[in-house]
Each structure stands twice: as structure tokens, then as C-alpha cells.
Amino acid sequence: MKPVVEVLQRHATPSPFSRGEETVMDPTYRHGTEFKADELTFSLQEDMKFKYEKFVRHVQDELQTSMFIGKIVSLKLYKLAVYGEGGHFDWHRDSTHSDAHHGMVLIALNTKWEGGELMLRHQGIETIVNIHPKKSGDEIRPVVVAFSTDTEHKVMPVTKGTRLVLQYDVKVVEQSPAADGMHSPSYIPLKRAVHRHQHIAVSHINIYPNLDQKLVQAVVDKIRELHKKGTFVVAFPLTHLYRKASIKKEYLKGTDLALFDALKNHFNVALHPVLIRAIEDRNVWGY
């Protein structure tokens, strides 16, 4: 379905952003409008409503298979971002909305636009993602982009048309997999990991970065070497950023979780918060 862009443009409100502890408006840094989730309703017939709900469940399953192995996640619509010609958003990290908020999903709607590329950056490595819906025969298929909340991202200037993107919060649900009706009691994280490897190998899913088991073993070997030399306390930063209340094993993501699981089989492992003050351009972030 094609959204009526003109109507959305008339009613959308300018998008602010956080700068330190302030919420500010600065069109040189972010130029766009938006609708929060409570300002939106979906007028869908029963068959389309069922398809939409099925689609959301499918995305949740993919996230549990590719990003949050061994966890149950929920997807909640946060807002609709509207970027017309000249719209853009410089490098930023989105604010987290709860301790369980660990990821976000972006889905572009079926409109025509040029420019407005989505750029992602983590640990200094950048990548560009094409989020235009893809045509498959007579069907239009959305591109689902998912990443952790601590990933920096940027929207390049839109040069033509209007870019409409649904933004969802990905939350880790605090319950055992067996208690969820979507999974059987035989649910085992290791089986999920094996399924993930097989699924990604045959599906159109791009995962970045991928985990190298040799690097994990190298970390284990290095710690053992330090222990032999008399260094008994070894500390290093996690790959991702977390809220203080979220520095728990059940909330670890990606390589952080893999390292924790690998190290706990050999050492006494503990997690501790560390305050890092980072200054980038006009933004000041404290973690």
C-alpha cells in the first residue's frame, strides 16, 4: 500500500534530539518531522491486520535467531520518521527508553525518494544500508534493518521525494523461553545458535560483525598467560554500551554474550559499570 505523503507532511511535528541532557531543535544537525506511536493508528481490515501481526512476529523470530540468541524479544512501534527533501540527521545514538531496550528496527514504507542513505557506525567501522523496499514480482517486500541501541547512525540528506520510516524498539522480555507460547519447553539456546548459523547461510540476511571463535579462544589463552605471569585480575571493556541497570548477563549482546559464556567456563567472571566520558563534535555523552 502507498501512504498518502501529503497528509502525513501536513500533520507531522518537527523532530527534536538530545544534546547532553537537553532536548533541542537544530535543523543543521537534524531536519525532519515525526509522529509518535500514540499519534498513529492502523486502519486495517482483518486480513491485513493478521498479515501485519504475522509480519511483526516474523521479525521478532528473526531477531531471536540472529541478534538475541537465547532471549525472548518484543517489538514495539515507537514512531514514524518523515524526511522530505533536504531532510537529514547527523551521527547520533538514540536514547534508550527502558533498561530492557537493547535494539531498534527500521522499516521504510513504500514511497519514492532519492538520497537519504542510512549509515551505521560501530567501533569506528561504517557501513551504508539500502532500506528501500524491494520489488519481487508483483509484491513489494520491506527491508528490515536491526541494530543495537549503542550503534551510531546517520541519515544522509534526502535529495528527492519523501522518506517514511517506521521505528520500533526491541526489548528483551524477562521471562523464560518455555513460558512463552511461541516456543516449546525443549527450547535450548545452543539449538537456536545452530539454527541461526544454518538459517543465515541460506537466507538473505546480512549480519555484521560476525563472531570469530578463534578470537574468543585467543582471549582465553591470553588471560591464562597473564595469570601465569602473576596478573590475577584482568579487565577489558565490553563491545556494546549499556545502562547501569542493564549490566547483567541476561542483557549482554552479541560478542559480549559470547565472551561471557566462553570465559565463565574457565574463570571467575564479573561485570562492573565503568564511566566513560566521550566528546564528539557538538555532542557530549556520558556512559
Side-chain angles (χ1 to χ4, degrees):
M1 295 180 291
K2 302 188 71 172
V4 184
V5 175
E6 295 77 12
V7 174
L8 293 172
Q9 287 175 324
R10 281 202 305 270
H11 295 282
T13 57
S15 299
F17 65 95
S18 297
R19 179 177 290 165
E21 296 183 356
E22 292 183 287
T23 299
V24 299
M25 303 288 296
D26 183 353
T28 64
Y29 195 84
R30 181 182 191 181
H31 180 45
T33 56
E34 64 183 42
F35 292 91
K36 290 296 176 59
D38 58 7
E39 300 175 300
L40 298 170
T41 57
F42 293 95
S43 299
L44 300 175
Q45 296 178 354
E46 282 304 313
D47 60 331
M48 292 302 298
K49 184 178 180 181
F50 173 77
K51 287 183 178 180
Y52 173 72
E53 292 173 348
K54 182 179 179 181
F55 170 74
V56 171
R57 289 197 301 270
H58 178 67
V59 173
Q60 289 177 170
D61 286 344
E62 293 289 359
L63 292 174
Q64 290 167 179
T65 305
S66 59
M67 288 182 66
F68 297 93
I69 299 171
K71 297 179 172 64
I72 300 297
V73 302
S74 67
L75 211 62
K76 182 179 180 182
L77 180 64
Y78 175 59
K79 69 180 180 182
L80 171 67
V82 182
Y83 289 96
E85 292 186 16
H88 65 276
F89 197 176
D90 212 335
W91 288 112
H92 65 285
R93 294 183 180 94
D94 285 357
S95 301
T96 51
H97 305 132
S98 71
D99 294 334
H101 181 198
H102 286 275
M104 59 188 298
V105 163
L106 303 180
I107 302 171
L109 299 185
N110 184 27
T111 61
K112 293 182 179 180
W113 81 88
E114 296 177 9
E117 295 88 354
L118 173 66
M119 298 185 67
L120 304 177
R121 181 168 68 188
H122 193 253
Q123 293 190 322
I125 300 175
E126 298 179 6
T127 186
I128 298 177
V129 183
N130 180 5
I131 65 173
H132 282 84
K134 298 183 182 298
K135 191 167 185 179
S136 176
D138 295 331
E139 290 187 335
I140 298 292
R141 294 184 177 274
V143 173
V144 179
V145 183
F147 50 91
S148 299
T149 50
D150 65 318
T151 300
E152 292 179 277
H153 48 290
K154 175 180 182 178
V155 178
M156 297 295 288
V158 174
T159 57
K160 185 178 180 180
T162 302
R163 179 185 187 272
L164 301 177
V165 174
L166 291 171
Q167 179 176 325
Y168 294 81
D169 289 348
V170 180
K171 295 186 178 182
V172 176
V173 179
E174 296 188 55
Q175 64 183 59
S176 64
D180 188 279
M182 297 290 292
H183 300 276
S184 67
S186 62
Y187 174 92
I188 299 174
L190 181 58
K191 288 184 178 180
R192 265 296 201 185
V194 173
H195 175 61
R196 170 187 185 265
H197 179 77
Q198 296 171 338
H199 182 64
I200 291 173
V202 299
S203 303
H204 298 292
I205 298 178
N206 296 317
I207 302 295
Y208 183 86
N210 218 342
L211 183 63
D212 188 337
Q213 292 297 327
K214 291 182 180 179
L215 291 177
V216 174
Q217 186 58 46
V219 174
V220 173
D221 294 342
K222 185 64 178 179
I223 294 174
R224 284 176 173 161
E225 180 183 332
L226 290 170
H227 282 183
K228 289 180 181 178
K229 293 180 178 180
T231 301
F232 298 107
V233 177
V234 179
F236 50 87
L238 298 175
T239 302
H240 296 277
L241 299 173
Y242 301 88
R243 285 186 172 207
K244 185 175 181 180
S246 298
I247 307 177
K248 301 176 182 177
K249 195 265 183 180
E250 58 266 30
Y251 285 142
L252 293 181
K253 297 175 281 192
T255 53
D256 292 342
L257 178 60
L259 271 176
F260 186 95
D261 285 340
L263 296 179
K264 73 177 183 180
N265 295 325
H266 306 279
F267 312 106
N268 180 19
V269 182
L271 297 169
H272 296 282
V274 176
L275 179 65
I276 302 173
R277 184 176 177 84
I279 301 177
E280 298 188 13
D281 299 328
R282 294 172 293 176
N283 295 300
V284 179
W285 292 311
Y287 301 102

